[in-house]
Amino acid sequence: MMKLLIVSGRSGSGKSVALRVLEDLGYYCVDNIPVNLLPALTHSVINDYEHVAVSIDVRNLPADPNDVSDVLDYLPETVELQIIFLDADDSDLTKRFSETRRLHPLIRENMALDQAIQAEKSLLEPISSRANHFINTSQLTPHQLADTVRERILGKKSGNMVIVFQSFGFKHGMPQDADFVFDARFLPNPFWEKELRAYTGLDKQVQDFLVAEPIVTKFIWQIQGFMSTWLPHLERNNRSYLTIAIGCTGGKHRSVYCAEKLAEALSKEYDDIQTRHRDIDVKST
């Protein structure tokens, strides 16, 4: 069975980065193919390639965007379809176009940039509503986006649910793609210990401080119990990727420690447990 992966999303959200990652993973990639040609493409390559990825943006939609569903339903039964939809906050998309001075594809329709960004969201709804993977790229560097795409795809290909414990700092914004978010800001904070401030939750000095606090141990134990209860149900529902975010104020001490401890505990039950510390290298202000 051929696996067809559609990469779509609003302009400026990082589709070109995602497509390059898929090419590196061995996918036969086609950039910006008209949606109406998808059935013809699949019929022509189905015997030659096992993994195919196509990029679709607002310029490639049918005259009536709602026809997208009909086209996708017309694909051969021997094609396994997955859709990755990339997006970002409106303000970030506006900033990216302003900084690069790129022309938004809908500007030719005599729209202002903010109007074009909103209109594009509506036009792509027939694709985004069917997405298997949704990635918000507002807080991701191109390197982080590449890692995220790679993890999602490899997790799906392996047939195992990939579980990511992500630490973050609330003062840098909440992660947009988290499935569960737990707030660790009420826990004792190593930041206020001068001799610990320069360290992170990966360092023994901070770990020794936090492990001595019963409330920290109870916090981790209760999250572990909650996730152990519900992860099997998510897995049976064919979830391929799950992000569990732990946040503290700056994202360097408590959240990092808790994410590591939770990953360590659940790795005894699940094969593909990963950690990501989003703000561990962000300079304190």
Side-chain angles (χ1 to χ4, degrees):
M1 177 176 287
M2 187 187 85
K3 296 182 179 180
L4 174 64
L5 186 60
I6 293 177
V7 179
S8 188
R10 287 199 284 179
S11 304
S13 60
K15 295 187 298 296
S16 59
V17 173
L19 206 63
R20 285 197 298 271
V21 171
L22 295 170
E23 191 171 25
D24 291 341
L25 291 176
Y27 278 74
Y28 174 72
C29 295
V30 181
D31 194 9
N32 289 332
I33 184 173
V35 172
N36 291 332
L37 295 182
L38 270 178
L41 172 70
T42 55
H43 280 291
S44 64
V45 303
I46 196 167
N47 295 321
D48 299 317
Y49 298 98
E50 184 179 355
H51 300 97
V52 177
V54 298
S55 172
I56 294 175
D57 65 22
V58 71
R59 296 168 295 180
N60 313 129
L61 297 177
D64 183 354
N66 292 316
D67 290 342
V68 168
S69 292
D70 293 334
V71 174
L72 296 182
D73 291 337
Y74 190 66
L75 295 174
E77 293 182 359
T78 53
V79 172
E80 179 186 328
L81 176 65
Q82 293 281 315
I83 299 175
I84 291 182
F85 194 87
L86 306 179
D87 205 356
D89 298 342
D90 291 355
S91 58
D92 290 301
L93 294 175
T94 300
K95 182 179 179 182
R96 290 172 188 178
F97 275 100
S98 299
E99 289 177 346
T100 62
R101 299 189 179 181
R102 289 174 52 203
L103 187 65
H104 192 282
L106 294 182
I107 291 294
R108 296 183 178 87
E109 304 296 330
N110 296 319
M111 293 184 183
L113 179 57
D114 59 339
Q115 294 175 319
I117 288 172
Q118 279 298 315
E120 186 177 27
K121 182 176 184 178
S122 176
L123 290 170
L124 289 172
E125 197 276 336
I127 298 179
S128 64
S129 64
R130 295 184 57 155
N132 306 93
H133 306 277
F134 183 91
I135 302 174
N136 186 297
T137 67
S138 283
Q139 297 171 329
L140 299 179
T141 65
H143 178 73
Q144 291 170 330
L145 173 57
D147 285 344
T148 300
V149 172
R150 193 175 297 109
E151 289 166 0
R152 300 272 178 115
I153 299 309
L154 290 177
K156 188 64 180 177
K157 285 173 64 178
S158 68
N160 298 323
M161 182 167 66
V162 177
I163 302 172
V164 177
F165 285 96
Q166 175 176 290
S167 69
F168 72 96
F170 276 96
K171 73 177 184 179
H172 304 298
M174 287 181 59
Q176 298 296 315
D177 300 327
D179 298 289
F180 296 92
V181 177
F182 295 95
D183 188 346
R185 286 177 292 184
F186 66 92
L187 299 178
N189 192 354
F191 179 83
W192 300 117
E193 304 293 328
K194 290 184 179 180
E195 67 275 13
L196 299 177
R197 187 171 297 179
Y199 295 103
T200 74
L202 298 178
D203 296 313
K204 187 176 184 302
Q205 293 89 334
V206 171
Q207 294 171 357
D208 289 344
F209 173 86
L210 291 171
V211 77
E213 298 287 345
I215 193 173
V216 176
T217 301
K218 184 176 182 179
F219 179 72
I220 294 170
W221 178 78
Q222 290 193 335
I223 294 175
Q224 179 188 342
F226 176 83
M227 298 313 306
S228 294
T229 298
W230 297 112
L231 283 175
H233 296 275
L234 293 165
E235 196 168 30
R236 284 195 293 271
N237 198 38
N238 296 320
R239 289 293 296 267
S240 64
Y241 195 93
L242 190 76
T243 299
I244 303 163
I246 315 293
C248 60
T249 304
K252 294 179 181 297
H253 301 102
R254 295 166 291 180
S255 61
V256 172
Y257 173 79
C258 292
E260 287 290 329
K261 286 299 180 182
L262 286 164
E264 179 184 333
L266 284 177
S267 64
K268 300 172 183 176
E269 305 174 44
Y270 292 88
D271 294 330
D272 204 340
I273 302 289
Q274 302 174 13
T275 57
R276 183 184 304 130
H277 303 302
R278 193 192 73 183
D279 299 323
I280 195 170
D281 293 322
V282 177
K283 292 183 178 180
S284 300
T285 56

